[in-house]
Amino acid sequence: MGDSYTATAPLIGQSDDGCMHSANSWPNQLAALGIPDRSEMLDTSCNGGTIDTGDGWTLLHQARKAADRNAFGPATRAVLIQLGMNDTWGGSAGRAFPSVDCLLDVVRGCGLDAADQNRLPDYRAVTGDAYAARIREVVDYVRYYAPAATVAIVGYPEIFAPDQPAACMDLAVGGRVVQPRAEGYLAYLDRLQDAQRDAAQQLGIRFFDVRSVTAGHGSCTAAPWISGLTGDDSPFAGAPVHPNAAGNTAVATGVERWLGL
């Protein structure tokens, strides 16, 4: 269950429920690595998926879809959740994705004040307590109906280089763009990572640190695993500022080893 970082869905295409999945997504690559019968893996992730923000494909909706397809039972081995990026947090109405307008704002930048301006989620409100509270109902449901399953929160990859105030993206028009004032955006990504880890501990489930397997391959690096707005990996095989095929391979391989499939 997840969002566009899970689905890696193309921006152009059709599906019966509006939720497309790329063959290069990490769940599909994971299935190819460790699940002989592909029908044993169900992916209910969707572009724009959230924990509980909006009325689209929230975690609850995705869990219901999975339950309707009998995905939760005594034989279920793993239930993986990758969500939070698209949610609002605190009093700010801003979201980190799908819009990256804050990062492209050359006038106001994307600093710590962007949350108060409703251009970013409120990074101060992204805590383990808040994250755990928002997913607890679904986690409890899954653990009841799939008692033998490993339930885990899957983190997000390294999107931008850590320990600096700037963010960088490659655009089809204009070339490489550097946002020198990206402290707010980077703070949000860091807080979300910490909140996911803390929430997993509180709920007694596991956390897979995707940053650890994608370190050094963020946007604009020598070997980026995050797509820009150029190249054959975007936008038709995945969204901008999302993992490309190589990035998803690293996640799938890491999860496969971590789960011991």
Side-chain angles (χ1 to χ4, degrees):
M1 297 179 283
D3 53 30
S4 53
Y5 277 75
T6 317
T8 320
L11 300 182
I12 297 177
Q14 295 181 343
S15 69
D16 57 354
D17 60 3
C19 296
M20 297 177 291
H21 302 98
S22 167
N24 289 323
S25 71
W26 68 258
N28 275 327
Q29 293 197 48
L30 175 63
L33 286 171
I35 306 175
D37 183 354
R38 175 61 179 76
S39 66
E40 292 183 356
M41 194 274 283
L42 177 64
D43 183 359
T44 62
S45 66
C46 195
N47 274 3
T50 66
I51 299 174
D52 57 10
T53 299
D55 55 3
W57 283 101
T58 66
L59 177 59
L60 181 60
H61 290 133
Q62 293 184 38
R64 285 174 174 168
K65 181 178 179 180
D68 288 344
R69 299 188 182 184
N70 300 314
F72 303 131
T76 304
R77 288 186 287 169
V79 178
L80 308 176
I81 301 168
Q82 188 179 41
L83 286 167
M85 189 75 80
N86 295 324
D87 285 271
T88 58
W89 296 86
S92 174
R95 301 193 196 187
F97 284 101
S99 172
V100 293
D101 293 348
C102 187
L103 291 174
L104 299 177
D105 193 328
V106 297
V107 176
R108 294 176 293 177
C110 199
L112 299 176
D113 58 346
D116 294 328
Q117 298 166 0
N118 291 315
R119 297 188 295 121
L120 270 181
D122 186 354
Y123 62 91
R124 297 158 296 196
V126 186
T127 66
D129 289 344
Y131 197 104
R134 294 173 78 162
I135 71 169
R136 180 174 281 108
E137 180 180 3
V138 169
V139 169
D140 287 347
Y141 177 92
V142 170
R143 294 173 77 177
Y144 181 82
Y145 285 100
T150 296
V151 183
I153 298 171
V154 176
Y156 290 95
E158 179 181 298
I159 301 173
F160 303 112
D163 302 322
Q164 63 176 15
C168 173
M169 292 181 290
D170 287 326
L171 306 181
V173 178
R176 182 160 291 182
V177 173
V178 177
Q179 173 55 267
R181 294 173 293 158
E183 298 94 338
Y185 207 100
L186 299 178
Y188 172 66
L189 297 179
D190 289 343
R191 291 294 291 265
L192 185 57
Q193 162 96 350
D194 292 342
Q196 289 176 314
R197 187 191 307 275
D198 291 348
Q201 184 175 13
Q202 289 186 36
L203 296 171
I205 60 177
R206 299 180 69 185
F207 171 72
F208 181 67
D209 185 358
V210 176
R211 283 194 184 187
S212 68
V213 298
T214 58
H217 295 278
S219 180
C220 296
T221 58
W225 290 348
I226 296 294
S227 61
L229 282 168
T230 59
D232 59 6
D233 58 356
S234 141
F236 301 105
V241 201
H242 283 63
N244 57 25
N248 281 316
T249 297
V251 177
T253 302
V255 171
E256 190 268 339
R257 292 173 178 169
W258 182 67
L259 287 175
L261 295 177

